[in-house]
Amino acid sequence: KPTIIILVFLSIVCFCLSYCTDVFFKPPRELNSDSLPGNWAMFRHDLRHTGVAQPNSGQPRGKLKWVFSTGAPIHSSPAVAGDTVYVGSRDRTLYALDAATGTKRWEFRTGGWIESSPAVADDRVHFATNNGTFYALNSSTGEELWNYRARHDNVSSPAVADGVVYFGSGDFFVYALDAATGKKKWEYETEGRVVSSPVVAN
């Protein structure tokens, strides 16, 4: 009968509106994705993205000590060793800066953007460029010690352990090089571009 069909149809519509929309029951205004105390359940911990997990903590506060400007955006995270900050820039330059004053100690020009974060070990600073070249420099002077050419761009930040430097490349390979000479020890082919930073353990 038409009346029964209409009632069934209205029942289905009401069911869908109730369970698939917020027409009848809106979510509470206080609903959010904030982390509960003791948890780190979202990107940078909380709704304000403070990156701080302590209870009742606010934005970290401090005083600006110095500023250093490069010729292009910086996507490379800095490395700090001793009293020197090392950071790469899309202006194709790696900079070594005095950690206390921000004064430039030296710079090294490359052939490509530096999005890889440098790793400092054994008086050498290691980093990759997006033109496929991986470099090792003297950490005190910026003198080039060696370079290794991969088949594609490198944005992977290196890891250094026991005299070996490991990094990934856009050519689908992970490389292990002798940290002192740059000679390849081995390479491992993956199924895609390697942009993450390796971790060496056990």
Side-chain angles (χ1 to χ4, degrees):
K1 294 180 178 181
T3 304
I4 295 176
I5 294 174
I6 292 173
L7 288 174
V8 170
F9 175 76
L10 289 175
S11 298
I12 293 172
V13 169
C14 289
F15 176 85
C16 292
L17 289 175
S18 297
Y19 288 91
C20 301
T21 75
D22 61 1
V23 170
F24 296 139
F25 304 103
K26 293 185 182 297
R29 190 174 293 273
E30 65 272 12
L31 182 70
N32 62 64
S33 62
D34 208 355
S35 296
L36 295 174
N39 291 342
W40 191 296
M42 64 181 293
F43 171 68
R44 290 191 59 79
H45 185 262
D46 51 47
L47 300 179
R48 291 179 294 163
H49 292 172
T50 63
V52 179
Q54 290 82 9
N56 303 317
S57 60
Q59 291 284 5
R61 300 185 183 277
K63 293 183 178 180
L64 183 65
K65 295 190 69 173
W66 50 262
V67 174
F68 182 86
S69 297
T70 70
I74 297 173
H75 291 184
S76 166
S77 296
V80 181
D83 58 357
T84 305
V85 176
Y86 304 88
V87 65
S89 172
R90 279 194 166 191
D91 66 2
R92 305 182 179 191
T93 305
L94 184 85
Y95 296 93
L97 311 174
D98 184 290
T101 66
T103 303
K104 182 175 68 178
R105 292 185 165 166
W106 53 259
E107 66 178 48
F108 181 82
R109 295 281 296 173
T110 72
W113 290 352
I114 303 173
E115 300 192 302
S116 160
S117 299
V120 185
D122 301 320
D123 298 322
R124 291 183 296 268
V125 54
H126 312 82
F127 66 98
T129 64
N130 77 336
N131 72 344
T133 306
F134 189 92
Y135 291 94
L137 311 179
N138 181 297
S139 60
S140 298
T141 65
E143 176 189 2
E144 181 178 338
L145 302 176
W146 53 262
N147 71 71
Y148 180 86
R149 184 80 176 183
R151 303 174 185 89
H152 212 276
D153 64 315
N154 303 326
V155 297
S156 169
S157 301
V160 184
D162 196 24
V164 181
V165 56
Y166 306 84
F167 70 97
S169 175
D171 61 11
F172 292 28
F173 282 86
V174 174
Y175 292 94
L177 309 180
D178 184 294
T181 65
K183 184 178 180 180
K184 182 174 71 177
K185 287 181 167 289
W186 53 259
E187 62 182 33
Y188 178 81
E189 186 173 10
T190 71
E191 296 181 355
R193 290 169 45 83
V194 184
V195 298
S196 65
S197 179
V199 173
V200 183
N202 301 323

